[in-house]
Amino acid sequence: MAKQSFAVIGLGRFGRALVEELIKLEAEVLVIDKDYEKIEKVAKALTNTVCLDSTDVEALREVGISNYDKVVVATGMDVDNSILTTLILKDLGVKEVFVKIQSEYHAKVVEKLGVDHEHLIWPERSTGIRLAKVLVSNSFLDYFELDDDYSFITIKATKKVIGKNLLDLDIRKNYNVTIVAIRRENKIMIPSSKSPFENDDELLLVGRNDYIKKFSKWLNGRK
Ligand code: ATP
């Protein structure tokens, strides 16, 4: 498979974190910002940076933006700016546009411009939802929603599982959730069915939300 190419427009905290991670993952990425100082900060690690205003259609055309597989619009608070950039990208034929969203209105407009619902990025909202689940559950260490029904969570091992192994517990059959990995002393490992869980293990598991709830109730229950 040919390597995918990405472009990120806007180097606020979000855009910058995204770019740094893409570089770590050895992805090919074009970085765009209208502020030269922002560009300079990432330029050392990258060859592909340009200083331009993304509301300038000719400038975007010139850098060949439509040749990039996925373009992320991570410009800041100025919603009109982001909407105009999105419109231009769609007009220039960029197939996959991702947009960092500021408000419901912003989301509605960019969806109307043809951006997929799944490509709307709500960083603050996602973080808030995640934290709420972690706080309320009292036992989740981390939480990711996979879709409306399924989640991926991290939960601390308790005496219910410590000293026992996957074979003894038959968790998939009994609780309908799957332990995909464990974190032990800050290292991720794939559990073998016969090795027992240890004190301070963290279980990384996937399942339907109702089954996860049942499992965590059992795991943290007294009986
Ligand atoms: P974050 O939470 O990610 O920091 P923010 O809303 O605070 O988001 P800013 O700090 O304003 O975002 O960063 C947005 C970046 O996008 C800035 O570096 C700004 O120069 C850049 N930007 C804004 N508009 C354009 C544009 N039209 N063309 C190119 N870059 C732009």
Side-chain angles (χ1 to χ4, degrees), residues 16-62:
R16 184 124 185 246
L18 174 63
V19 166
E20 285 171 358
E21 199 58 30
L22 285 170
I23 295 169
K24 263 195 217 158
L25 295 168
E26 295 174 0
E28 187 189 316
V29 52
L30 169 72
V31 175
I32 296 173
D33 201 291
K34 64 179 177 185
D35 179 347
Y36 188 69
E37 275 180 23
K38 296 273 178 74
I39 289 284
E40 267 196 318
K41 279 188 188 153
V42 295
K44 274 185 218 121
L46 278 173
T47 46
N48 237 352
T49 53
V50 279
C51 188
L52 60 81
D53 188 323
S54 60
T55 60
D56 176 349
V57 58
E58 282 315 319
L60 281 180
R61 205 198 301 271
E62 239 168 67

Side-chain angles (χ1 to χ4, degrees), residues 144 146-147 149-153 175-179 205-212:
F144 295 93
L146 298 175
D147 68 10
D149 298 322
Y150 284 82
S151 302
F152 176 83
I153 66 147
Y175 294 95
N176 259 312
V177 297
T178 305
I179 297 182
L205 61 96
V206 179
R208 250 180 53 184
N209 295 332
D210 43 355
Y211 291 124
I212 287 181

Side-chain angles (χ1 to χ4, degrees), residues 1-6 28 69-70 96:
M1 203 171 81
K3 204 169 174 185
Q4 292 194 87
S5 57
F6 308 98
E28 187 189 316
D69 298 312
K70 296 180 179 170
E96 291 204 62

Side-chain angles (χ1 to χ4, degrees), residues 129-130 133-134 140-145 151-153 209:
I129 291 173
R130 210 167 119 201
K133 303 271 188 190
V134 171
F140 297 172
L141 302 170
D142 207 349
Y143 169 93
F144 295 93
E145 204 170 63
S151 302
F152 176 83
I153 66 147
N209 295 332

